[in-house]
Amino acid sequence: MDLCTNPDLAGLRLQINLQVQQVQVPFAFSLVTGEHVAGTDFFIRPASGTSSSDWLRLPNADISVSISRRITRTVLHGGEGDDLVDEGAESAIYTVKGEMDFEEYKKILKMFRSGQPYIHDPFEERDVKCVFGKIDYDGSNKIYTFELIEDIR
């Protein structure tokens, strides 16, 4: 039976529900137990950096990434319903946590105020241009949390 020409299906409407889910992925898992493996080195450099010596290494960082799709929704009141349009773009938010001394914090703060830094994405093994969304630093125990946002496409 040809679905396109079947008169019994004329006027039939197909409805698809699409759910967008953000997933946080820890940097590494133990293959045996499935537990989170503690920390990895996090690399960041200022936008003006051009050589390998410009990268700042923060050891034993916990890194996670949240990736979401960009979807446009048009709601038509009094019409047939709404339209969901997948724009084909993704956004990634990296959350980095760890411990660093005050001198490293001052270098990071300078990057925060001077433009878009580059980070090394440990999941895809590539360098990406980001913008700081947020920095938290507790000087008494030297704990930091960064939120870095990257547009993938």
Side-chain angles (χ1 to χ4, degrees), residues 17-93:
N17 293 322
L18 177 67
Q19 292 182 337
V20 178
Q21 181 179 13
Q22 288 187 349
V23 178
Q24 285 202 340
V25 181
F27 174 68
F29 283 95
S30 165
L31 294 176
V32 177
T33 63
E35 295 177 8
H36 181 73
V37 176
T40 188
D41 291 345
F42 174 69
F43 294 92
I44 185 169
R45 74 167 173 82
S48 60
T50 56
S51 71
S52 60
S53 64
D54 294 320
W55 288 94
L56 177 64
R57 176 183 163 264
L58 299 176
N60 298 316
D62 291 323
I63 305 167
S64 62
V65 64
S66 176
I67 300 174
S68 59
R69 301 278 297 171
R70 291 200 193 133
I71 296 175
T72 302
R73 175 177 233 164
T74 305
V75 179
L76 304 172
H77 296 284
E80 287 292 317
D82 61 26
D83 293 325
L84 286 176
V85 178
D86 182 352
E87 294 181 5
E90 298 174 347
S91 288
I93 299 175

Side-chain angles (χ1 to χ4, degrees), residues 89-105:
E90 298 174 347
S91 288
I93 299 175
Y94 296 89
T95 303
V96 184
K97 299 176 183 181
E99 195 175 311
M100 71 176 159
D101 64 31
F102 186 66
E103 290 303 313
E104 290 171 321
Y105 169 71

Side-chain angles (χ1 to χ4, degrees), residues 95-138:
T95 303
V96 184
K97 299 176 183 181
E99 195 175 311
M100 71 176 159
D101 64 31
F102 186 66
E103 290 303 313
E104 290 171 321
Y105 169 71
K106 290 192 296 188
K107 292 175 186 176
I108 295 291
L109 192 59
K110 186 175 179 182
M111 286 184 218
F112 176 82
R113 293 183 172 148
S114 66
Q116 293 181 285
Y118 285 82
I119 66 168
H120 181 74
D121 179 336
F123 305 103
E124 296 186 45
E125 291 293 326
R126 63 190 182 96
D127 299 337
V128 294
K129 191 173 188 178
C130 293
V131 63
F132 276 102
K134 180 171 84 169
I135 293 180
D136 292 321
Y137 182 68
D138 184 344

